[in-house]
Amino acid sequence: MSSILKYQSHARAAMDQITYRHDTVLSDIHTLLPNARHLMTRLNRGGQPVFISWFKIIWEDGEKQEACNPAPLSSGEDLEKDTQERDDSDGDTKGPDGGRNETEAKGAPAGEPVLDDDGDLEVARRESVPMEGREGRVFPIILSQATDEYEEEDEDEDQCPRDVIKIEHTMATPLEDVGKQVWRAAFLLADLILSEPATFRGTTVLELGSGTGLTSVVMAIMAKTVYCTDIGDDLLSMCQRNMTLNQHLLEPTGGDMRVRELDWLRHDLCTDGDTEFGWTEEEVADLYDNTTFIIAADVCYDDDLTDGFFKTVYRLCDNFHQACTVYVAIEKRLNFTLRHMDVSCEAYDHFRHCLSEMQEMMGGRTSFKVQQVAPAFPQHLQYERIEQLELWKVIATPIRAISTGSGSFVPTDSELAGIGSNPLGTL
């Protein structure tokens, strides 16, 4: 017993340290939205509490397709009937004389308020039901620290409807671990995917900075193959876990979601066979031959990471064998800075600067066209779609031949090696 109490003390201390430190950040998704399921399940390798939340997809008429058999009362007709029965029973509160409520027992006319001797409104209350046999019983919750070989919990997939996404995540984290939370921009990007299923159906998609993998899960419902990428074994393991939690969404459509490491500050993909999340040669070939979409959500909050992101996008698109469309969702965050003595959006401003640079790039093997996408598509997930949420589209088109006065020629790699006066080209 003493060992259990000691462990609980350590677990509580770890939670307090992570949750209440002054240098942590917390997504609005986890503080403002009510969730039917928001359960703490374990501690990760860093001692942070890990939760599982359920996010319901709001389908348009004709879009919803059940992936598994619902529970007996999950249909609309049965649920409405059950709700009506409960409403009828709640409206008929019986008093001690049976069949009449407390107001009628006191002789007051139906529909009129009952006042006490001082003239205050008297409210009829239900009698409390004693919990017989539960006195003195204790129900402890013991958390286990995650290990390298994390044993997955048995999930009753028969109870997971087609319209629920289950995501494992943390809550308050230091800035370097914000990828372990769910952010609003990921929901905006997921809305776009769910609104245009025909656009993404059967495609090969790469997500950069996937975080918890929520957007990759949604994309895998439509696409043929989704490469869900980020860095850090703990974060990538969380993505892998979320992929497993949402097999009830992926299996009916046959979507293939693969969790892989991709570091924006490196110039190559990790192909080490001994690494759990390394790339195989076949996957690298498939990535460059077949990728037609790159997606990213809320990844530009630090200038160095933003530079690395755009360099990675440029390098990838410059080596893709076909045209590629990049969708980037971002939240414009307003902050008061002492340097400006005013409210500013420095991270957003740097993001816009990099977009402009990419569109103005000349002389490479790829041309880029940048445009903002109006969020006029339906909202399929429950969140606050604030005006600071933006969606940007970059169309990358390979330049097969560079036109000259005397004709055209296809540039060689050595001729293109000198291109790089723009920082985005220095890879």
Side-chain angles (χ1 to χ4, degrees), residues 155-360:
E155 294 289 341
D156 189 0
E157 295 298 340
D158 292 338
Q159 302 301 321
C160 299
R162 175 79 165 96
D163 56 357
V164 169
I165 304 172
K166 296 192 295 183
I167 294 296
E168 184 178 275
H169 61 89
T170 58
M171 297 285 271
T173 63
L175 187 61
E176 61 267 20
D177 285 335
V178 292
K180 297 176 182 178
Q181 300 186 56
V182 181
W183 300 90
R184 266 190 297 232
F187 279 14
L188 179 67
L189 189 54
D191 277 346
L192 172 72
I193 299 167
L194 293 169
S195 300
E196 301 182 10
T199 301
F200 303 102
R201 185 169 292 119
T203 61
T204 299
V205 182
L206 169 67
E207 182 174 15
L208 298 175
S210 301
T212 61
L214 182 144
T215 313
S216 285
V217 168
V218 174
M219 179 62 82
I221 301 174
M222 315 296 176
K224 175 184 177 182
T225 305
V226 178
Y227 292 105
C228 173
T229 68
D230 216 306
I231 59 172
D233 288 344
D234 194 39
L235 182 56
L236 293 173
S237 297
M238 181 177 287
C239 289
Q240 188 80 25
R241 169 68 172 162
N242 286 332
M243 179 186 71
T244 303
L245 289 174
N246 290 281
Q247 286 302 308
H248 62 285
L249 294 172
L250 308 184
E251 288 179 353
T253 60
D256 184 12
M257 176 177 166
R258 306 183 185 184
V259 179
R260 295 293 179 262
E261 178 182 338
L262 198 157
D263 190 345
W264 304 344
L265 304 183
R266 291 181 53 176
H267 297 173
D268 56 352
L269 299 176
C270 176
T271 56
D272 185 358
D274 297 331
T275 304
E276 181 181 1
F277 300 104
W279 297 73
T280 65
E281 294 182 1
E282 291 77 11
E283 290 172 342
V284 173
D286 178 58
L287 176 72
Y288 287 112
D289 290 342
N290 300 315
T291 299
T292 52
F293 290 99
I294 295 177
I295 59 174
D298 219 343
V299 297
C300 297
Y301 52 87
D302 175 85
D303 289 355
D304 292 336
L305 289 178
T306 301
D307 291 339
F309 170 77
F310 276 94
K311 288 180 180 180
T312 299
V313 170
Y314 176 84
R315 172 176 55 82
L316 290 169
C317 292
D318 212 37
N319 287 279
F320 284 165
H321 297 167
Q322 53 187 313
C324 178
T325 302
V326 184
Y327 284 103
V328 183
I330 188 171
E331 181 172 343
K332 184 178 179 181
R333 293 183 173 87
L334 307 174
N335 297 293
F336 180 84
T337 62
L338 294 176
R339 182 171 62 176
H340 298 94
M341 293 302 294
D342 197 2
V343 175
S344 63
C345 307
E346 293 185 342
Y348 173 81
D349 293 340
H350 187 69
F351 165 76
R352 292 293 305 272
H353 174 72
C354 290
L355 278 178
S356 300
E357 277 192 338
M358 175 166 278
Q359 180 161 260
E360 295 169 359

Side-chain angles (χ1 to χ4, degrees), residues 74-86:
S74 62
S75 65
E77 182 178 352
D78 291 338
L79 182 60
E80 182 178 357
K81 178 180 178 181
D82 180 62
T83 304
Q84 183 64 39
E85 290 176 354
R86 285 188 282 107

